[in-house]
Amino acid sequence: MSGKYPDGTDCAENPPRAMSVDEIHDITKEWAAAAKRAVEVAGFDGVEIHGANGYLLEQFLHDNINQRTDDYGGSLENRSRFLFEVVSAVAEAIGSQRTGLRLSPFNYFQDTKDSDPSGHWFTICEKLASLPAAERPLYVHMQVVEPRFDEVLDEKQKMASLEEYTSESGTKQNSLTPFRRALELGGIKFLACGNFNREDAVAKLKSKDADLIVFGRNFVANPDLVERFRNGWALNPYDRSTFYGADPLDKGYNDYPVYDPKQ
Ligand SMILES: Cc1cc2nc3c(=O)[nH]c(=O)nc-3n(C[C@H](O)[C@H](O)[C@H](O)COP(=O)(O)O)c2cc1C
């Protein structure tokens, strides 16, 4: 893996290692146990399985970094085996209607970069949609593909990378809509996130390209975001410099003010 870990050391010096099959099975059980505790002990409404953004499950999905030669590597069926096992285990533990899944076909964070994200993730979505109801997640959550996750790459780098995803005809293949349509056939809801504001969130919902819009940075900066949207009030701007730690530590964490009509 290229880049540096948060402690400043080179990733190349301490590269990720392949998990054993026993570890994969143990982690799957731990995932289900954690989901059960989240719902039964902590009182969560549901759990979103993170199958995106270069984290564990995604490291199996992308064919440029999955180098395994066992049942968890090679074909798409094998690369997605861990994902489907976790989805089934979590759905069994807490119920499929409390189970969500995050995916990011066009992600290239943490060096993931599949050779055919449109085709491969479409097949994954079709398979999710055809799971038995007891295993079929309530929703899939994806980030829109436009250069919006600017925490990771600047706009130029991201556009350059997206340009590489072109079909044989030269048409860009980076739309999320086909995934949404495939999931819809199984009644799986579609959540979209990525730099939305009040206006384009409404447009996205009206166009039926998503069932729900997820907000990140604006929620960090606006504890009353829903009320502000509802009333058309201005938003607090977010302070990027405090996103990943600040001095004092709670600065930018829970000190943004609620809307004050007198201001
Ligand atoms: C401070 C901060 C930390 C984040 N950390 C993660 C993370 O650990 N894993 C992840 O998958 N996404 C992470 N994200 C991305 C968010 O999940 C979300 O995709 C992103 O903020 C896009 O939504 P937004 O444009 O409304 O902020 C983070 C975003 C922010 C602002």
Side-chain angles (χ1 to χ4, degrees):
M1 191 162 98
S2 59
K4 290 185 187 301
Y5 291 116
D7 68 3
T9 57
D10 280 333
C11 300
E13 280 170 28
N14 188 12
R17 65 164 179 86
M19 289 166 75
S20 70
V21 171
D22 281 347
E23 282 174 318
I24 291 174
H25 293 162
D26 286 348
I27 294 274
T28 304
K29 283 188 208 132
E30 283 179 22
W31 221 305
K36 208 171 161 59
R37 283 194 301 274
V39 170
E40 290 181 5
V41 182
F44 286 16
D45 294 314
V47 168
E48 181 171 289
I49 299 165
H50 205 332
N53 295 354
Y55 297 105
L56 186 62
L57 292 176
E58 222 199 29
Q59 291 168 22
F60 283 71
L61 295 178
H62 283 259
D63 59 11
N64 70 318
I65 55 170
N66 181 336
Q67 297 163 354
R68 303 179 71 99
T69 53
D70 61 5
D71 285 352
Y72 292 88
S75 65
L76 177 62
E77 188 183 359
N78 282 354
R79 296 199 309 278
S80 59
R81 188 179 304 282
F82 191 12
L83 174 83
F84 280 97
E85 287 177 351
V86 169
V87 168
S88 296
V90 170
E92 194 190 330
I94 61 171
S96 59
Q97 292 300 293
R98 294 184 182 276
T99 304
L101 174 62
R102 190 163 194 192
L103 294 174
S104 55
F106 302 104
N107 170 62
Y108 42 86
F109 184 42
Q110 326 250 55
D111 289 0
T112 51
K113 195 167 190 179
D114 196 82
S115 64
D116 180 15
S118 299
H120 290 155
W121 268 255
F122 186 79
T123 305
I124 290 171
C125 289
E126 278 185 319
K127 200 169 160 186
L128 285 165
S130 63
L131 286 173
E135 293 173 45
R136 206 182 311 148
L138 176 68
Y139 71 81
V140 167
H141 171 189
M142 287 188 188
Q143 183 143 339
V144 293
V145 188
E146 289 81 18
R148 285 171 162 178
F149 190 0
D150 54 359
E151 313 313 313
V152 179
L153 295 177
D154 68 30
E155 190 150 324
K156 212 168 139 203
Q157 285 173 305
K158 190 146 189 173
M159 285 315 280
S161 183
L162 286 176
E163 286 295 331
E164 292 172 27
Y165 287 124
T166 53
S167 71
E168 281 167 21
S169 65
T171 322
K172 272 205 211 161
Q173 291 287 295
N174 55 12
S175 168
L176 298 185
T177 308
F179 308 128
R180 194 278 197 274
R181 300 289 165 235
L183 293 164
E184 216 169 20
L185 295 177
I188 299 177
K189 302 284 184 205
F190 192 81
L191 278 53
C193 79
N195 204 32
F196 281 97
N197 60 32
R198 188 172 181 262
E199 286 67 40
D200 54 22
V202 171
K204 185 95 177 162
L205 294 174
K206 281 203 173 138
S207 69
K208 306 251 184 277
D209 277 347
D211 295 300
L212 191 143
I213 305 297
V214 179
F215 292 89
R217 287 166 291 177
N218 281 325
F219 234 132
V220 171
N222 293 275
D224 52 348
L225 186 69
V226 175
E227 279 304 298
R228 287 177 188 244
F229 280 159
R230 190 171 280 145
N231 294 296
W233 295 333
L235 304 187
N236 296 322
Y238 51 78
D239 176 2
R240 184 181 308 280
S241 71
T242 63
F243 276 169
Y244 298 94
D247 185 16
L249 265 178
D250 54 358
K251 183 163 181 261
Y253 183 59
N254 58 5
D255 57 356
Y256 285 100
V258 295
Y259 182 73
D260 177 359
K262 286 184 230 97
Q263 278 181 350

